[in-house]
Amino acid sequence: MTNKDILNIAMRQSAVDLSCNADDFLSDKNKVVISQKNDGARKYLELPFDCNLVSYGNNIVASVRSDVSDTVSEYINKYPIEHCFETPNMNVLSEKLSPYGLKICFMAEYFLPDLSALKKLPCKYKTRILDDFSNLYLPEWSNALCEKRSELDVLGVGAYDGGRLIGLAGCSADCNDMWQIGIDVLPEYRCQGVAAALTSALAVEILKRGKIPFYCAAWSNIKSVRNAVKCGFRPAWTEMTVKPSEFVDKMNNI
């Protein structure tokens, strides 16, 4: 497997998620498609989308519901690609979608492994591969594991200080070919390289199993982005997701 193979697999998965073709991400023209449900999509996605913008750097592919298609098309073709994912231009889309009862909700950057840089990093604590998480669905491991989708949590690497679990990297089998990594380290054990050691070790184990590890972080989460880069992950694509206003207001406790 090569880095190009990995990127192609990711684009094929994004095409399934967005109801488009993988080649659409390589075009120099933006594209708007109508979102549909698909059994092969990432398990945590709620399909069909109201509006979801994805860019691998060449263009923007927008997967939308039909009544906002023209509005979104006008937006993504008015501004440069990178500006569509940030303020002040993003406010334009937010205002245009407000009459439809929609608000911008999630924004994230996704990382794929660079095979020339990824390697298992050292850890000062003992580590162990895990596949049973039945007693670990606790607040301190909420990034590594997801109790609501516990059936997808398939593999992890834990770090131990004596008999105490002090760090955990877990991955969920979000789709057939790609497993997403999440990481948690107890506060008193941070800044010791534990996160990078566990993340890199889990990424290596995922590749051994013939799957592609991927990593997601908000671009404002500097600590998480630094961890991804330190482990040999590189930015691959970005997403911005629009949700019903009620959903966003609930998340904001409004």
Side-chain angles (χ1 to χ4, degrees):
M1 189 179 297
T2 65
N3 286 340
K4 185 176 181 180
D5 294 331
I6 289 174
L7 181 61
N8 287 337
I9 289 170
M11 287 184 178
R12 288 200 298 268
Q13 183 59 50
S14 291
V16 172
D17 299 339
L18 271 65
S19 304
C20 67
N21 297 314
D23 288 345
D24 291 337
F25 301 109
L26 300 175
S27 173
D28 60 357
K29 297 181 183 295
N30 296 324
K31 184 164 186 177
V32 178
V33 297
I34 303 304
S35 180
Q36 301 176 34
K37 290 187 176 181
N38 193 317
D39 291 338
R42 282 174 284 163
K43 303 297 184 183
Y44 58 87
L45 296 178
E46 295 180 0
L47 298 177
F49 291 118
D50 292 298
C51 172
N52 195 55
L53 308 185
V54 173
S55 178
Y56 278 80
N58 300 296
N59 67 348
I60 297 174
V61 176
S63 186
V64 303
R65 69 190 205 196
S66 58
D67 59 337
V68 300
S69 177
D70 290 344
T71 298
V72 175
S73 179
E74 179 183 2
Y75 173 73
I76 64 175
N77 287 304
K78 184 176 182 179
Y79 302 109
I81 296 168
E82 60 276 11
H83 292 179
C84 286
F85 291 86
E86 63 181 11
T87 55
N89 298 153
M90 196 173 67
N91 293 325
V92 173
L93 180 62
S94 184
E95 291 172 1
K96 293 287 187 180
L97 292 178
S98 180
Y100 296 92
L102 300 172
K103 290 183 178 180
I104 294 170
C105 187
F106 300 120
M107 298 170 63
E109 189 171 19
Y110 289 81
F111 298 77
L112 292 172
D114 178 352
L115 298 180
S116 67
L118 176 67
K119 63 180 179 180
K120 184 178 179 180
L121 298 174
C123 185
K124 64 186 294 185
Y125 300 96
K126 290 185 178 180
T127 62
R128 188 163 75 232
I129 296 174
L130 305 171
D131 57 13
D132 180 3
F133 310 106
S134 54
N135 297 319
L136 297 178
Y137 288 99
L138 303 168
E140 54 264 42
W141 312 124
S142 60
N143 289 310
L145 304 172
C146 180
E147 189 171 12
K148 291 182 179 179
R149 297 186 297 272
S150 60
E151 71 280 2
L152 301 180
D153 293 330
V154 293
L155 187 67
V157 179
Y160 294 83
D161 186 0
R164 183 189 184 193
L165 180 64
I166 57 93
L168 175 64
C171 67
S172 56
D174 290 338
C175 49
N176 186 58
D177 297 317
M178 300 175 67
W179 291 0
Q180 182 172 191
I181 293 177
I183 178 70
D184 286 297
V185 178
L186 296 181
E188 60 269 34
Y189 290 91
R190 293 172 186 169
C191 301
Q192 300 181 46
V194 176
L198 296 180
T199 301
S200 61
L202 182 55
V204 169
E205 291 298 326
I206 292 171
L207 286 167
K208 286 180 180 178
R209 287 158 175 78
K211 304 297 181 180
I212 305 301
F214 72 105
Y215 189 104
C216 175
W219 42 73
S220 57
N221 190 343
I222 301 302
K223 291 187 293 184
S224 185
V225 171
R226 284 175 176 166
N227 180 55
V229 172
K230 183 177 181 179
C231 294
F233 283 85
R234 301 292 182 259
W237 79 95
T238 189
E239 298 195 20
M240 182 168 72
T241 305
V242 171
K243 289 283 192 179
S245 300
E246 295 83 0
F247 180 93
V248 179
D249 290 345
K250 185 176 180 180
M251 290 192 72
N252 288 326
N253 297 316
I254 297 176

